[in-house]
Amino acid sequence: MTTGWSGVFPAVTTQFNEDFSIDIEATQGVQDALVRDGVNGLIVMGTCGENNSLDPEEKRTILKAAVEVVGGRVPVITGVSEFDTRRAVAYARDAEKLGADGLMVLPAMVYVPKPEELVAHFKAVAAATSLPIMLYNNPPAYRVNITNEVLRELEGVANIKAVKESAPDPRRFTDLINAFGDRFDIFAGLDDVALEGLLLGAKGWVSGLTSAFPQESVALVAAAARGDWEEARRIYRWFMPLLHLDAEHDLVQSIKLAEQIMGRGSERVRMPRMTLTGARRAEVTAMVEKAAATRPILARKAA
């Protein structure tokens, strides 16, 4: 029943030209660089990929390009974030045809469903594809909670295999494992609760700030995997000021600004998002520059 997925899965950004059209070459460049830096998979068109700011054909073009540039080196998981179930089903079908390795499925956007509606949405998407599915639970962002009761209704859906848990309460990891054992692969989905999730049994981390600091992210998860908690804490404590950005409403702008400062991408975002300005821009810039100046020496580099 498992996906076989583990480790660091950055939620990669979508890169734009000056006219805010999709820059496919730059987007592929970001994706390829992350794979070369050792990440274990890519989440394409999640929140950081600005999924809901993309046209349907743009989504399909980006996914096709991602599958092409990755070339099977790591799994490519695409976000399924649509305003209604009909569109989510259509995209899931197309994603499988385009070569995605899995889907990260969100509740339908804007409308806050009743539990039975949420179950029906997920079941409809799962029935449209044979791809493995990771459900994305983020109650603070989407006002919807994929509760244990909802998951119980989905337990018999064979290709729903994982949960990205972005509730800010680390007790959630233990509650999920107590309730379902190893039925679902659990991924930490909120950057500043990532190490807690790994300690409590998460198999991996769907990460935002990895886009700016991939080597440190890979080293953090590797240290946790081998039980070197002293090393994991050392990296995590250095990283934490930046990881807190993932819990803010302007996380996409902050992460893309961090990417730009680190020479890994552009900060351009599509409206209604706008690039950071003023005091907030200065604050995030200072945080990234301090992190870059104090980067930890990584054990795997010293070996």
Side-chain angles (χ1 to χ4, degrees):
M1 299 293 287
T2 64
T3 59
W5 303 333
S6 63
V8 183
F9 280 57
V12 298
T13 60
T14 300
Q15 298 292 301
F16 299 110
N17 293 303
E18 290 185 8
D19 64 357
F20 298 102
S21 61
I22 304 296
D23 188 335
I24 290 294
E25 184 177 353
T27 300
Q28 287 184 313
V30 164
Q31 294 162 351
D32 181 60
L34 287 167
V35 175
R36 287 188 284 105
D37 275 316
V39 303
N40 305 100
L42 298 180
I43 305 289
V44 179
M45 291 175 288
T47 303
C48 292
E50 297 176 69
N51 187 304
N52 294 109
S53 299
L54 303 172
D55 295 333
E57 278 310 307
E58 290 177 328
K59 295 182 186 187
R60 288 152 174 85
T61 299
I62 291 167
L63 176 57
K64 182 179 178 181
V67 170
E68 174 187 274
V69 75
V70 171
R73 289 175 290 170
V74 299
V76 174
I77 316 302
T78 181
V80 180
S81 178
E82 302 292 342
F83 290 104
D84 62 28
T85 304
R86 172 182 55 91
R87 294 178 209 185
V89 164
Y91 182 70
R93 287 176 177 151
D94 288 349
E96 183 164 6
K97 294 174 185 175
L98 291 169
D101 296 296
L103 308 175
M104 184 180 74
V105 182
L106 283 73
M109 295 290 99
V110 181
Y111 175 65
V112 179
K114 299 172 185 175
E116 60 268 27
E117 293 172 322
L118 184 59
V119 168
H121 175 77
F122 288 145
K123 283 185 173 180
V125 176
T129 179
S130 64
L131 291 175
I133 287 172
M134 173 189 293
L135 302 180
Y136 179 10
N137 188 42
N138 191 334
Y142 300 116
R143 301 174 296 154
V144 182
N145 190 14
I146 304 175
T147 62
N148 284 9
E149 290 71 27
V150 168
L151 288 173
R152 191 68 68 193
E153 294 294 318
L154 299 169
E155 201 171 5
V157 181
N159 61 329
I160 296 180
K161 296 179 179 290
V163 176
K164 174 189 173 185
E165 184 52 61
S166 294
D169 185 346
R171 293 175 295 182
R172 176 73 171 149
F173 296 102
T174 300
D175 288 343
L176 285 171
I177 293 169
N178 280 347
F180 298 101
D182 60 0
R183 169 59 184 87
F184 300 107
D185 292 338
I186 310 301
F187 276 69
L190 190 62
D191 280 3
D192 57 1
V193 195
L195 186 57
E196 290 86 342
L198 294 167
L199 172 64
L200 295 170
K203 291 194 173 181
W205 173 24
V206 176
S207 169
L209 271 302
T210 293
S211 289
F213 291 95
Q215 293 177 7
E216 289 80 3
S217 299
V218 170
L220 170 62
V221 174
R226 66 176 181 266
D228 188 350
W229 297 109
E230 182 177 353
E231 174 70 359
R233 284 193 298 268
R234 183 177 71 90
I235 299 169
Y236 197 49
R237 288 168 181 165
W238 160 83
F239 217 167
M240 185 56 78
L242 288 180
L243 299 183
H244 286 318
L245 296 173
D246 190 57
E248 301 293 337
H249 290 298
D250 59 4
L251 76 153
V252 176
Q253 298 95 310
S254 296
I255 289 167
K256 292 186 91 169
L257 176 57
E259 269 189 303
Q260 179 168 286
I261 293 169
M262 298 307 297
R264 303 188 67 94
S266 164
E267 68 174 322
R268 291 189 197 101
V269 289
R270 273 187 178 170
M271 291 183 70
R273 292 184 178 93
M274 297 175 69
T275 53
L276 300 182
T277 59
R280 180 59 168 165
R281 183 183 185 85
E283 177 188 29
V284 173
T285 297
M287 292 168 66
V288 176
E289 290 177 346
K290 181 178 179 180
T294 59
R295 297 175 84 163
I297 297 172
L298 303 177
R300 65 187 184 88
K301 282 188 170 183

